[in-house]
Every structure is written in structure tokens, then in C-alpha cells.
Amino acid sequence: MGGGANGEGVFGQSAIAGGMSEAGVAIDGRTVVYGIVGCPVAHSYSPAMQNAALRELGLNGVYVPLRPRPENLAEAVAGLRALGMAGVNVTVPYKESVLPCLDELTETAVLYGAVNTIINREGRLTGHNTDGPGFIKDLREDQRFDPSCGPALVLGAGGSARAVVVALVQAGCPELALVNRNYDRARALAESVRAKTGFCVRVLHWHTGDRCLADFARRAVLMVNCTPLGMSGQNSGAWPLLAGLPGSGQLAYDLVYNPPVTPFMARAAGNGARAANGLGMLLHQGVLSLEAWTGLPAPLAVMRRVLYRQAGVEVY
């Protein structure tokens, strides 16, 4: 898939990386294959997490990383069908470009305009999206936060911001605003959300001198960073928020999880706000994907333990 020698190398390494040989699980002619498609994909925590879950469920399955080149994406997806793989996750940069390669989309995938999960049922490939639902599950179950309790400010206007905004709308958030360096891109996202859901998202300007942004940010109970600012290896840049924000009584949620404590989280904690990174969203989207593939309840505690260990974070 996307190159014979490369595909064999990635597949072979993934079984070891996921701990299959250490667990003494044999891969045989009945082994069901799952995976994650992305470019790059070597950094992904999903293989370790999902392989641990498959072992816990007692399933004869393996989850492998797959890295097709962009020009080979359609062939790679066709290969999933031809090889009888049961399902894959899809990550950057293919969540949108994979759409034309699939036979059908769930309502959730249509609403989000992106796919992070492909389900293979007897050769028919269905695109689904568990990113937004995973985000909401983390808010409700792990952060003990009700998305309907007040206004939310979302920083960014890319694919992850779209998932967060749509998920918040579906979860009953009463008021939403977007702020992005590229104002036109944020406005296009807001219009797309309005067209699909009927919900009007405000679009604000990215600078601390904007009075509308300052006023909204003070009222927000939730701020979500969907930009790469603060990601490991990225310049933290300048935030468009006043110095005391996020502050007391607010939840600052950063989709970035490397480093585990991001500059956005550190800023929030220093101001007395609650802070969380994107590991919980990664966990819950993976849980929902596994359940969609297998029809079985996922072993949440096992997946959490392995994921957080991979990230070098203590499980709370």
C-alpha cells in the first residue's frame, strides 16, 4: 500500500511497536487487521493503545501504522478493501482528501466534512468521524464540564476547529465564537457551520486590542485551542487574549498534547483557570472507533493507561 517495500516495513515494525510479540500473541491466517493511515504516522500513540485494547478483548487482531504518500492515497484506500482490513483510523493530512475514496459516509462524517474512521463491511467502505464525539465525551466524563453551560471561544479555523465547533453545537453550547489569524478562513468555517446546522457562530479578529474579542473572552466558560501554537517544536507565538485570560472559572482545553503541559495550559493555570490537553480527546475518539469496528465495548481503563504511559503522563 503506497510502495511494497515500505508497506512491508511499516507493517512488520508495527506489530512489535504495539507489543504483540511481547504479549505472545500469534499473528496467523485468522488475524484481523486494523490500522491508522497518515503521513507522517510514526509518532502516533494509537497503535500501542489499540493493540492493548485488542488483547484485552481477547480478539485475534493487530493494529498497524500505514503511511501512503499523498499521490497514492486512493490506491491505498482501495487496498484496504482488497486486503480485507476491518477498519482504519485516518489522520493528518488525509481526513478530508479521503472522502472521495469511500463508498458512503455516516451523517456525522457529512456534518463534519471529514473522516477519521473507516469501517469495512464486506468490502463496502464507510467513512465515519469520532473526533467531535470524542472531544465531548472527554469534556463530560473526564473534565466534568457541561458544554451547554455557557459561551465557548475556539481559537483556530482548520479541520480540528471544525470538529470542535460542530461537536459543541450538537452538545447544546448556547453561544460560540471563532478567532483565527486568517479572518476569511474563520468566516468561511462559520458560514459552513451555519449552512449545515443553522447555528450562527461569531467571527472575531485575532488581536488583543479587539474589544469584541476581549468582551467575549471574559464571558466564555470554555476556550479551546485548535491551533498548533505551543506544539512541541513550534513557536508559541502571540495569543490574541488579554494577559489574565483564560482565567478563574474558565476551562482552557488545548488539542495539542505534546508537550503534555502546553504554553496555553500553563498560561491558564497561572491565571487560576482549569486546563486540559488533547489526550482525553485522542483516547475517546479511539474508544469510539474500536467500538464501531468490533461492536464490542472498548476497555477504556486499559486504553487510558497505555495511552498516558506512551505520552509520559501519570494516569489520574
PDB file of all heavy atoms in Angstrom, residues 136-153:
ATOM      1  N   ILE A 136     -16.328  15.694  23.073  1.00  0.00           N
ATOM      2  CA  ILE A 136     -17.438  15.930  24.000  1.00  0.00           C
ATOM      3  C   ILE A 136     -17.420  14.913  25.142  1.00  0.00           C
ATOM      4  O   ILE A 136     -17.675  15.252  26.309  1.00  0.00           O
ATOM      5  CB  ILE A 136     -18.782  15.895  23.258  1.00  0.00           C
ATOM      6  CG1 ILE A 136     -18.846  17.024  22.220  1.00  0.00           C
ATOM      7  CG2 ILE A 136     -19.940  15.993  24.242  1.00  0.00           C
ATOM      8  CD1 ILE A 136     -18.728  18.422  22.804  1.00  0.00           C
ATOM      9  N   LYS A 137     -17.097  13.655  24.839  1.00  0.00           N
ATOM     10  CA  LYS A 137     -17.022  12.641  25.903  1.00  0.00           C
ATOM     11  C   LYS A 137     -15.938  13.015  26.917  1.00  0.00           C
ATOM     12  O   LYS A 137     -16.125  12.839  28.125  1.00  0.00           O
ATOM     13  CB  LYS A 137     -16.747  11.254  25.312  1.00  0.00           C
ATOM     14  CG  LYS A 137     -17.973  10.585  24.721  1.00  0.00           C
ATOM     15  CD  LYS A 137     -17.651   9.192  24.213  1.00  0.00           C
ATOM     16  CE  LYS A 137     -17.459   8.207  25.339  1.00  0.00           C
ATOM     17  NZ  LYS A 137     -18.699   7.923  26.076  1.00  0.00           N
ATOM     18  N   ASP A 138     -14.814  13.522  26.435  1.00  0.00           N
ATOM     19  CA  ASP A 138     -13.769  13.926  27.366  1.00  0.00           C
ATOM     20  C   ASP A 138     -14.240  15.104  28.225  1.00  0.00           C
ATOM     21  O   ASP A 138     -14.000  15.114  29.444  1.00  0.00           O
ATOM     22  CB  ASP A 138     -12.499  14.300  26.616  1.00  0.00           C
ATOM     23  CG  ASP A 138     -11.345  14.596  27.557  1.00  0.00           C
ATOM     24  OD1 ASP A 138     -11.181  13.850  28.546  1.00  0.00           O
ATOM     25  OD2 ASP A 138     -10.614  15.576  27.333  1.00  0.00           O
ATOM     26  N   LEU A 139     -14.904  16.085  27.604  1.00  0.00           N
ATOM     27  CA  LEU A 139     -15.414  17.217  28.382  1.00  0.00           C
ATOM     28  C   LEU A 139     -16.358  16.745  29.483  1.00  0.00           C
ATOM     29  O   LEU A 139     -16.213  17.132  30.647  1.00  0.00           O
ATOM     30  CB  LEU A 139     -16.155  18.197  27.469  1.00  0.00           C
ATOM     31  CG  LEU A 139     -15.331  19.125  26.586  1.00  0.00           C
ATOM     32  CD1 LEU A 139     -16.267  20.062  25.818  1.00  0.00           C
ATOM     33  CD2 LEU A 139     -14.331  19.947  27.396  1.00  0.00           C
ATOM     34  N   ARG A 140     -17.298  15.893  29.118  1.00  0.00           N
ATOM     35  CA  ARG A 140     -18.339  15.489  30.069  1.00  0.00           C
ATOM     36  C   ARG A 140     -17.847  14.489  31.104  1.00  0.00           C
ATOM     37  O   ARG A 140     -18.122  14.628  32.304  1.00  0.00           O
ATOM     38  CB  ARG A 140     -19.525  14.906  29.303  1.00  0.00           C
ATOM     39  CG  ARG A 140     -20.345  15.966  28.564  1.00  0.00           C
ATOM     40  CD  ARG A 140     -21.446  15.335  27.755  1.00  0.00           C
ATOM     41  NE  ARG A 140     -22.379  16.338  27.234  1.00  0.00           N
ATOM     42  CZ  ARG A 140     -23.164  16.161  26.181  1.00  0.00           C
ATOM     43  NH1 ARG A 140     -23.130  15.004  25.526  1.00  0.00           N
ATOM     44  NH2 ARG A 140     -23.975  17.129  25.781  1.00  0.00           N
ATOM     45  N   GLU A 141     -17.107  13.475  30.649  1.00  0.00           N
ATOM     46  CA  GLU A 141     -16.760  12.370  31.540  1.00  0.00           C
ATOM     47  C   GLU A 141     -15.476  12.602  32.330  1.00  0.00           C
ATOM     48  O   GLU A 141     -15.404  12.233  33.498  1.00  0.00           O
ATOM     49  CB  GLU A 141     -16.656  11.070  30.733  1.00  0.00           C
ATOM     50  CG  GLU A 141     -17.977  10.665  30.077  1.00  0.00           C
ATOM     51  CD  GLU A 141     -17.868   9.391  29.272  1.00  0.00           C
ATOM     52  OE1 GLU A 141     -16.835   8.684  29.408  1.00  0.00           O
ATOM     53  OE2 GLU A 141     -18.806   9.095  28.500  1.00  0.00           O
ATOM     54  N   ASP A 142     -14.476  13.194  31.697  1.00  0.00           N
ATOM     55  CA  ASP A 142     -13.190  13.373  32.372  1.00  0.00           C
ATOM     56  C   ASP A 142     -13.024  14.771  32.960  1.00  0.00           C
ATOM     57  O   ASP A 142     -12.465  14.922  34.038  1.00  0.00           O
ATOM     58  CB  ASP A 142     -12.036  13.071  31.410  1.00  0.00           C
ATOM     59  CG  ASP A 142     -12.014  11.622  30.975  1.00  0.00           C
ATOM     60  OD1 ASP A 142     -12.650  10.796  31.648  1.00  0.00           O
ATOM     61  OD2 ASP A 142     -11.364  11.307  29.964  1.00  0.00           O
ATOM     62  N   GLN A 143     -13.491  15.786  32.248  1.00  0.00           N
ATOM     63  CA  GLN A 143     -13.342  17.151  32.734  1.00  0.00           C
ATOM     64  C   GLN A 143     -14.535  17.600  33.582  1.00  0.00           C
ATOM     65  O   GLN A 143     -14.490  18.687  34.162  1.00  0.00           O
ATOM     66  CB  GLN A 143     -13.154  18.121  31.549  1.00  0.00           C
ATOM     67  CG  GLN A 143     -12.064  17.734  30.573  1.00  0.00           C
ATOM     68  CD  GLN A 143     -10.732  17.482  31.247  1.00  0.00           C
ATOM     69  OE1 GLN A 143     -10.377  18.149  32.223  1.00  0.00           O
ATOM     70  NE2 GLN A 143      -9.974  16.515  30.725  1.00  0.00           N
ATOM     71  N   ARG A 144     -15.582  16.782  33.613  1.00  0.00           N
ATOM     72  CA  ARG A 144     -16.798  17.122  34.363  1.00  0.00           C
ATOM     73  C   ARG A 144     -17.318  18.506  33.960  1.00  0.00           C
ATOM     74  O   ARG A 144     -17.670  19.344  34.794  1.00  0.00           O
ATOM     75  CB  ARG A 144     -16.537  17.087  35.880  1.00  0.00           C
ATOM     76  CG  ARG A 144     -16.088  15.734  36.395  1.00  0.00           C
ATOM     77  CD  ARG A 144     -17.210  14.699  36.273  1.00  0.00           C
ATOM     78  NE  ARG A 144     -16.864  13.442  36.936  1.00  0.00           N
ATOM     79  CZ  ARG A 144     -16.337  12.385  36.319  1.00  0.00           C
ATOM     80  NH1 ARG A 144     -16.081  12.444  35.021  1.00  0.00           N
ATOM     81  NH2 ARG A 144     -16.078  11.278  36.977  1.00  0.00           N
ATOM     82  N   PHE A 145     -17.355  18.711  32.661  1.00  0.00           N
ATOM     83  CA  PHE A 145     -17.763  20.006  32.120  1.00  0.00           C
ATOM     84  C   PHE A 145     -18.959  19.815  31.201  1.00  0.00           C
ATOM     85  O   PHE A 145     -18.944  18.959  30.312  1.00  0.00           O
ATOM     86  CB  PHE A 145     -16.601  20.642  31.338  1.00  0.00           C
ATOM     87  CG  PHE A 145     -16.926  21.975  30.736  1.00  0.00           C
ATOM     88  CD1 PHE A 145     -16.777  23.144  31.465  1.00  0.00           C
ATOM     89  CD2 PHE A 145     -17.380  22.056  29.421  1.00  0.00           C
ATOM     90  CE1 PHE A 145     -17.086  24.380  30.908  1.00  0.00           C
ATOM     91  CE2 PHE A 145     -17.692  23.286  28.856  1.00  0.00           C
ATOM     92  CZ  PHE A 145     -17.543  24.447  29.599  1.00  0.00           C
ATOM     93  N   ASP A 146     -19.988  20.622  31.392  1.00  0.00           N
ATOM     94  CA  ASP A 146     -21.190  20.571  30.564  1.00  0.00           C
ATOM     95  C   ASP A 146     -21.073  21.600  29.443  1.00  0.00           C
ATOM     96  O   ASP A 146     -21.063  22.808  29.707  1.00  0.00           O
ATOM     97  CB  ASP A 146     -22.420  20.864  31.418  1.00  0.00           C
ATOM     98  CG  ASP A 146     -23.726  20.806  30.627  1.00  0.00           C
ATOM     99  OD1 ASP A 146     -23.670  20.565  29.403  1.00  0.00           O
ATOM    100  OD2 ASP A 146     -24.789  21.028  31.234  1.00  0.00           O
ATOM    101  N   PRO A 147     -20.977  21.163  28.178  1.00  0.00           N
ATOM    102  CA  PRO A 147     -20.808  22.106  27.069  1.00  0.00           C
ATOM    103  C   PRO A 147     -21.974  23.080  26.890  1.00  0.00           C
ATOM    104  O   PRO A 147     -21.819  24.096  26.210  1.00  0.00           O
ATOM    105  CB  PRO A 147     -20.695  21.190  25.843  1.00  0.00           C
ATOM    106  CG  PRO A 147     -20.300  19.863  26.388  1.00  0.00           C
ATOM    107  CD  PRO A 147     -20.960  19.764  27.728  1.00  0.00           C
ATOM    108  N   SER A 148     -23.114  22.783  27.512  1.00  0.00           N
ATOM    109  CA  SER A 148     -24.274  23.663  27.357  1.00  0.00           C
ATOM    110  C   SER A 148     -24.329  24.751  28.429  1.00  0.00           C
ATOM    111  O   SER A 148     -25.283  25.530  28.461  1.00  0.00           O
ATOM    112  CB  SER A 148     -25.573  22.842  27.409  1.00  0.00           C
ATOM    113  OG  SER A 148     -25.779  22.303  28.711  1.00  0.00           O
ATOM    114  N   CYS A 149     -23.293  24.838  29.281  1.00  0.00           N
ATOM    115  CA  CYS A 149     -23.387  25.740  30.437  1.00  0.00           C
ATOM    116  C   CYS A 149     -23.016  27.178  30.137  1.00  0.00           C
ATOM    117  O   CYS A 149     -23.187  28.051  30.998  1.00  0.00           O
ATOM    118  CB  CYS A 149     -22.543  25.219  31.598  1.00  0.00           C
ATOM    119  SG  CYS A 149     -20.764  25.335  31.345  1.00  0.00           S
ATOM    120  N   GLY A 150     -22.500  27.471  28.939  1.00  0.00           N
ATOM    121  CA  GLY A 150     -22.162  28.859  28.653  1.00  0.00           C
ATOM    122  C   GLY A 150     -21.395  29.027  27.356  1.00  0.00           C
ATOM    123  O   GLY A 150     -21.173  28.057  26.617  1.00  0.00           O
ATOM    124  N   PRO A 151     -20.955  30.250  27.059  1.00  0.00           N
ATOM    125  CA  PRO A 151     -20.267  30.559  25.795  1.00  0.00           C
ATOM    126  C   PRO A 151     -18.922  29.853  25.675  1.00  0.00           C
ATOM    127  O   PRO A 151     -18.238  29.601  26.675  1.00  0.00           O
ATOM    128  CB  PRO A 151     -20.079  32.077  25.853  1.00  0.00           C
ATOM    129  CG  PRO A 151     -21.038  32.562  26.879  1.00  0.00           C
ATOM    130  CD  PRO A 151     -21.163  31.457  27.879  1.00  0.00           C
ATOM    131  N   ALA A 152     -18.523  29.562  24.436  1.00  0.00           N
ATOM    132  CA  ALA A 152     -17.230  28.935  24.158  1.00  0.00           C
ATOM    133  C   ALA A 152     -16.504  29.736  23.088  1.00  0.00           C
ATOM    134  O   ALA A 152     -17.109  30.180  22.105  1.00  0.00           O
ATOM    135  CB  ALA A 152     -17.406  27.495  23.708  1.00  0.00           C
ATOM    136  N   LEU A 153     -15.200  29.907  23.284  1.00  0.00           N
ATOM    137  CA  LEU A 153     -14.342  30.578  22.311  1.00  0.00           C
ATOM    138  C   LEU A 153     -13.380  29.554  21.734  1.00  0.00           C
ATOM    139  O   LEU A 153     -12.669  28.867  22.476  1.00  0.00           O
ATOM    140  CB  LEU A 153     -13.558  31.710  22.982  1.00  0.00           C
ATOM    141  CG  LEU A 153     -12.544  32.448  22.099  1.00  0.00           C
ATOM    142  CD1 LEU A 153     -13.246  33.191  20.972  1.00  0.00           C
ATOM    143  CD2 LEU A 153     -11.711  33.413  22.944  1.00  0.00           C
TER     144      LEU A 153
END
